[in-house]
Amino acid sequence: MHDTTALLVELGSVILGLGLIGRFAGRIGLSPIPLYLLAGLAFGEGGLLPLGASEEFTAVGAEIGVILLLLLLGLEYSASELVTSLKTQYPSGAVDFVLNATPGAVAALLLGWGPVGAVALAGVTWISSSGVIAKVLTDLGRLGNRETPVILGVLVIEDLSMAVYLPLLTAMLAGVGLAGGSIALLIALGTVGFVLYLALRHGRLISRAVSSDNPEMLLLVVLGLTVLVAGVAQELQVSAAVGAFLVGIALSGEVAEGARKLLTPLRDLFAAVFFVFFGLSTNPAEIPPVLLPAALLAVVTVLTKIATGWYAARRAGIGSRGRWRAGGTLVARGEFSIVIAGLAVATEPRIGPIATAYVLILVIVGPLTARWTQPVVAKIQAWRGKDVNTGKDVNTSKGGATGKGDSAGDGGGGGEVPAVRPAPTAQEELAPDRL
């Protein structure tokens, strides 16, 4: 078969399959992300029917998918909201680092990988997947929830931390001296600072320059600017995702609204390609030997991420339900973890399979914990006789404990303990006014 013909047949089959998978996931009330990944495993290297002709296109499409996910996430918020989030969430960022990087570092040292392997695996377990979480928040309709800015604050701190972490890791892997690592770090920090300055001080000018009444021109300019900035950011040791996010932050008003409407279908297409490509690039045969240690590490870091989100939401004054939703949403790992493992695999080859298995587990589990952590906790609290909103014991009588004989231990029959409030329905869980 001609190369172009094979490419078209494979791409058409993949996109059609994604559409059918997405419809099936919607009918059963599940995020399509885990199913996209499993489809990628089935048709990747070592799978049932490997796809070779479309591999290069799919790789580029996956990069564009991450960029578009973060661009549209940035379009939801202004530069001033970003700065406010960073100012208020930095303690949560520190807690996030301690709770989630430590298990990876300890595991690497126990496996005998040495300091470089410990730093690399710490990064794999630390960083949540902005791409997966952005998709999950959209799928679950939670972009307007009160806990969402808290989640984004933690993610932004993590993503911006990559401007420090990646140059340091690269320097350690290359064995360069302190001076070489410091130069790379200064370039990365300078790039992030410059883009943030432009977004804060000249965001309106940027929006005015990009603005157009012609939807075609607006689409081309915004998409071209985003991909260009992402590429430059990547070259300067800042992640492409951070660059795309900052472009979204810089745009505001009607430009942001128009770009969001035009780019949403493209985002959904290329985001699906990203998740499929992640599965395509994973050889299923490499997973079973490292499945047990990867699963143990996943269990530990699921709990630490939930604790991180709960703590961050509590600091922001979010109610009990929003705290658990925030924790469950932060569980997924993805693109950054794979980038980190890819950098380290030349120095420590053993990190590749375990990082792949670990990320695959959590990128499948992450959308499930985002959806079900809060309802499960609510049911447990109701079963234990605790209020689902406050988590406190339901032990007061209907008329209060002030009347004579109303006390539970009093022996009087006048008191009536109120029924435990039932767990919320799926619609109630997502309603912003119930947070």
Side-chain angles (χ1 to χ4, degrees), residues 73-98:
L73 198 60
L75 288 173
E76 296 286 340
Y77 300 93
S78 67
S80 59
E81 289 173 334
L82 171 64
V83 172
T84 300
S85 178
L86 290 175
K87 287 181 179 179
T88 57
Q89 291 295 326
Y90 72 89
S92 301
V95 170
D96 179 30
F97 172 75
V98 172

Side-chain angles (χ1 to χ4, degrees), residues 104-122:
V106 171
L109 293 175
L110 291 175
L111 291 170
W113 292 359
V116 175
V119 172
L121 194 57

Side-chain angles (χ1 to χ4, degrees), residues 365-383:
V365 170
L368 302 179
T369 59
R371 174 64 183 86
W372 294 107
T373 296
Q374 187 273 323
V376 168
V377 170
K379 288 184 180 296
I380 294 173
Q381 289 178 334
W383 177 71

